[in-house]
Amino acid sequence: MSVDRNKLDAMLKWYRQEVGKNLMAAIIVNREGLVMAALKGESDTEIEEDVIGGVSALVEPVLTRITEEFSSGAFGTGTFDTEEHRIIFCEAGPEAIFVTVLDSIAMVDPIFPYAYLAAEKIARIFDGRTVSPVIPKLIEDLSIQNIERKVDTLQKIKIESAEYAYKLILGGEGGVGKTSMVHRFVENSFLTDYKSTIGTSIMKKECGFEGLDSKVRFVIWDLAGQAQFKRVRQSYLSNAEAGILVYDVSRKETFDSVDDWHKEIKSVSPMISLILVGNKIDLIEDRVVSTEEGEEIAKRLNLSYIETSAKTGENINDAFKMLALQIIKKYIVTEEV
Ligand code: GDP
Ligand code: MG
């Protein structure tokens, strides 16, 4: 079986960029413990070249324990702390395990969603499925608790999934592709005709997390018809736990209205987990808003940012997954094994 190593390497580089200075190494090992790809952290210029060799020697006994102790060969996700390191293990499909080695002062919780997203991408790369190597930026929620540091203890990470479904709303000007995104996500189909009837369609979709025994259930509210109906909009936006604010990268005015949408959504649902999406990136020739501009406004509004095409399907699943990860970050719990 041939694995796209270039893609694995590209993904690891994105991962290093998003995790930042606490990363000592990121290693993909197969089930026999063989290193398939590895990258050392940025801050380690001092450390000798053999850091990966050293780290994988450190990781090996823990891997053995993990496969033994976590039931039925599938261990999901866990952490292990040593005197000098904090290590996160994520199962990455049936073939690989993704190992993140952090320094001892690192917080695990904010990094965990990145590790999890990366592991899913690795699983898909091993499967030969199409996947973008980009690891999007997730905003940090400073209210979340850190997984306690327990040296020499294997801790299994679990998600306390809420039993109910989260209301998800979409914001952004008419015609930016909100309905198309939802249909892509829900049915994986692309609507070619544009219907702007008034009303709301409601769709349900679960976002699964392999190896975590956990799901985020979304009830997606899609308001047909447009923004002129201020009164409808208030009740549409209220009590929403999740939201996607969309603009069209080929229409500047939709980008310029992001601030207003953000303000309105936040005023109606202050606790919402929200992400920003630049859609229609397939329209390369017509593009007028750059990636940098998108990232800039996202940073200013403290939102995660991702670029998509509802037409080709690019990054649509990742956008919803990112949102789901943002929600589950609040429910991370551990169990000693
Ligand atoms: P909404 O008003 O925000 O819900 O936007 P729609 O989903 O109804 O889409 C508006 C128009 O843009 C439709 O003609 C879609 O076919 C088109 N569209 C949506 N997403 C994309 C995309 O990613 N790329 C391209 N080229 N067209 C898109
Ligand atoms: Mg629509």
Side-chain angles (χ1 to χ4, degrees), residues 28-29 66 111 147 154 176 184 191 196 208 224 249 315-316:
I28 301 166
V29 293
I66 281 180
I111 293 167
I147 291 172
L154 207 48
V176 296
R184 256 288 173 191
L191 292 185
S196 51
V249 299
N315 288 345
I316 295 292

Side-chain angles (χ1 to χ4, degrees), residues 65 79-83 85-87 104 108 146-156 333-337:
R65 257 186 79 189
T79 67
F80 190 85
D81 297 323
T82 68
E83 293 296 342
H85 302 104
R86 305 202 71 178
I87 310 172
S104 57
V108 169
N146 191 27
I147 291 172
E148 205 187 323
R149 198 171 134 74
K150 290 181 185 160
V151 172
D152 283 339
T153 309
L154 207 48
Q155 303 188 72
K156 186 170 178 147
V333 291
T334 52
E335 177 189 270
E336 278 185 34
V337 286

Side-chain angles (χ1 to χ4, degrees), residues 175-180 191 194 226 279-280 282-283 309-311:
V176 296
K178 300 181 294 296
T179 300
S180 306
L191 292 185
Y194 177 71
Q226 292 317 329
N279 187 40
K280 304 200 189 179
D282 59 287
L283 299 176
S309 166
K311 183 166 186 174

Side-chain angles (χ1 to χ4, degrees), residues 186-308:
V186 173
E187 296 150 10
N188 207 32
S189 67
F190 182 67
L191 292 185
T192 42
D193 54 5
Y194 177 71
K195 299 185 197 78
S196 51
T197 44
I198 304 162
T200 310
S201 46
I202 295 183
M203 284 151 285
K204 291 182 188 155
K205 169 93 175 176
E206 284 185 346
C207 217
F209 293 95
E210 279 169 60
L212 277 179
D213 274 348
S214 181
K215 289 186 188 80
V216 170
R217 300 177 186 83
F218 284 128
V219 177
I220 306 168
W221 291 44
D222 185 27
L223 183 66
Q226 292 317 329
Q228 64 267 35
F229 307 107
K230 185 95 182 167
R231 253 182 345 152
V232 184
R233 212 158 72 199
Q234 293 275 319
S235 61
Y236 171 73
L237 297 177
S238 65
N239 302 316
E241 284 110 339
I244 302 183
L245 174 42
V246 189
Y247 70 90
D248 174 350
V249 299
S250 72
R251 280 196 298 142
K252 181 75 165 50
E253 68 274 21
T254 67
F255 178 71
D256 292 336
S257 70
V258 163
D259 265 318
D260 287 344
W261 276 99
H262 180 256
K263 224 178 277 159
E264 182 168 359
I265 294 169
K266 280 289 194 179
S267 75
V268 181
S269 287
M271 300 304 287
I272 196 166
S273 289
L274 192 63
I275 64 166
L276 180 67
V277 169
N279 187 40
K280 304 200 189 179
I281 52 168
D282 59 287
L283 299 176
I284 297 163
E285 305 273 285
D286 299 328
R287 182 158 185 162
V288 293
V289 183
S290 69
T291 302
E292 292 69 35
E293 286 172 291
E295 285 171 349
E296 216 166 276
I297 195 167
K299 198 170 171 194
R300 179 161 59 74
L301 299 175
N302 201 23
L303 301 174
S304 303
Y305 176 66
I306 191 166
E307 297 189 336
T308 60

